[in-house]
Amino acid sequence: MMRRSRGLSISLKFTLGYFLFLAFGGALLLVVIWLFLLRYVPDGNLGLISGHIPNRSDLWRAFSPHAARALIFLLLIALIGGWLIARTMLAPLKRITAVTDAVAKGDLSRRINLPGRSNELSKLADAFDGMLDQLQAHVDEQRRFAANASHELRTPLAITQTLLSVAQQQSEPPSRELLEKLGVLNTRAIDLTESLLLLARADARAFEREELDLSLLAEEATETMLPLIEERNISLDFDSQPAPTYGNFALLLQLVSTLLHNAIVHNGGPDPHIWIRTSINGDSVTLCVENTGAPVPAGTLRTLLEPFQRGAARRHDTERAGVGLGLAIAQSITRAHAGKLELTARDTGGLRATVTLPRGARTA
């Protein structure tokens, strides 16, 4: 934090400024009276035989004391009024500062909640509260992510340690079944680690970008997974329209592959089907991956994009089991490319994933 030398408070500066402004106005008024009124009144004896007509000196002697007292009174009013106005106008800043200090010390639950009608300070306070809401949500998400990542990593490692301990106690060489279990657990730990690295890379946005066509990426991902699609007897409907965008080839290919793989392994019903569409919509391009399957509850739909969240079907199906990072990675990749990923449940069952990215423009 920048170290600053102590200076005058804003309230004092406002009061002094108000005082000096009013003092300047009073002095300017006296100058105007002198230049445009008294200077035209003759001075000295006006030469009248009888009676007395006030000359310039007489008028000035009569006017100046009253003008001085009025000016002093106005300056006192300016000091008191300026101080009160400054304190009233700047009171919300003290509230904002207090909340800011509390947040800086780690209390993210504090909010300004500034009452009153809309003005510049209330807009600042509302914007600050909105930023704190997003920050707290992000911190809570990171804490959940760290806890879940630790749990997911600890589980295969703990099982591996148990199997190795049992094997060490046996006099016979490790069985093939034990080696296969260790291989599966090791593969799961590796997949999880690689997914975490990919997620961190997408969140950090540390990657190169180039001109790409989202439809070509969809075709490549489909060709790669075509054997799995045919193995599960899933019908495929591919509508490939040019969809130029700007991004990282490997990450966007991972995005498309993740959505397609999710549509394959969570497909079902008497007539399993997948629809893949790419298109241009104004200044954006769209990729839509849709699949048949079991109905997706609204509560589950809201959590599928969070790390380590799995649908109910995954929890009891070892064939489908993953590390729970697929859609979270897809979400991070989409955000890193200034896009948006939306998941909606189909009325007849299954899921629709829609990715919207900027059209052929470099993303920040």
Side-chain angles (χ1 to χ4, degrees), residues 50-227:
S50 62
H52 177 72
I53 297 179
N55 58 21
R56 184 195 306 167
S57 298
D58 295 332
L59 292 176
W60 180 251
R61 283 192 298 269
F63 172 73
S64 57
H66 298 288
R69 286 192 290 269
L71 184 59
I72 292 174
F73 177 76
L74 288 177
L75 293 180
L76 290 176
I77 293 296
L79 282 175
I80 299 173
W83 176 256
L84 294 177
I85 293 175
R87 292 291 298 272
T88 303
M89 296 295 294
L90 299 177
L93 287 181
K94 293 185 177 180
R95 188 167 180 169
I96 295 174
T97 303
V99 174
T100 304
D101 291 338
V103 171
K105 295 177 181 178
D107 185 6
L108 295 179
S109 63
R110 294 286 299 274
R111 296 294 183 271
I112 300 173
N113 295 326
L114 192 66
R117 297 184 178 181
S118 176
N119 53 47
E120 290 81 356
L121 290 177
S122 66
K123 290 179 180 179
L124 173 63
D126 293 342
F128 191 78
D129 285 343
M131 181 191 68
L132 288 179
D133 290 337
Q134 295 182 359
L135 180 60
Q136 185 172 23
H138 180 71
V139 170
D140 292 341
E141 181 181 350
Q142 292 299 316
R143 289 174 178 170
R144 291 195 303 269
F145 176 80
N148 291 330
S150 301
H151 174 74
E152 293 287 340
L153 279 171
R154 183 173 62 246
T155 300
L157 294 177
I159 297 175
T160 300
Q161 181 63 39
T162 302
L163 293 176
L164 289 175
S165 298
V166 172
Q168 289 175 352
Q169 296 176 1
Q170 297 177 353
S171 57
E172 300 177 358
S175 62
R176 182 179 182 84
E177 182 181 359
L178 176 60
L179 293 177
E180 289 178 353
K181 289 181 179 179
L182 290 174
V184 171
L185 292 171
N186 186 64
T187 301
R188 177 176 173 80
I190 292 175
D191 291 342
L192 178 58
T193 304
E194 291 179 348
S195 297
L196 290 173
L197 291 174
L198 182 60
L199 185 61
R201 180 187 174 196
D203 287 338
R205 305 188 180 187
F207 49 81
E208 296 181 354
R209 305 168 191 264
E210 59 183 313
E211 293 287 345
L212 299 170
D213 193 329
L214 205 56
S215 63
L216 298 180
L217 295 178
E219 291 178 2
E220 183 172 343
T222 303
E223 291 179 2
T224 302
M225 297 191 181
L226 193 57

Side-chain angles (χ1 to χ4, degrees), residues 208-217 242-253 285 337 357-360:
E208 296 181 354
R209 305 168 191 264
E210 59 183 313
E211 293 287 345
L212 299 170
D213 193 329
L214 205 56
S215 63
L216 298 180
L217 295 178
T245 187
Y246 197 91
N248 181 265
F249 176 85
L251 289 179
L252 289 181
L253 181 59
V285 296
H337 288 79
L357 297 175
R359 175 183 176 182

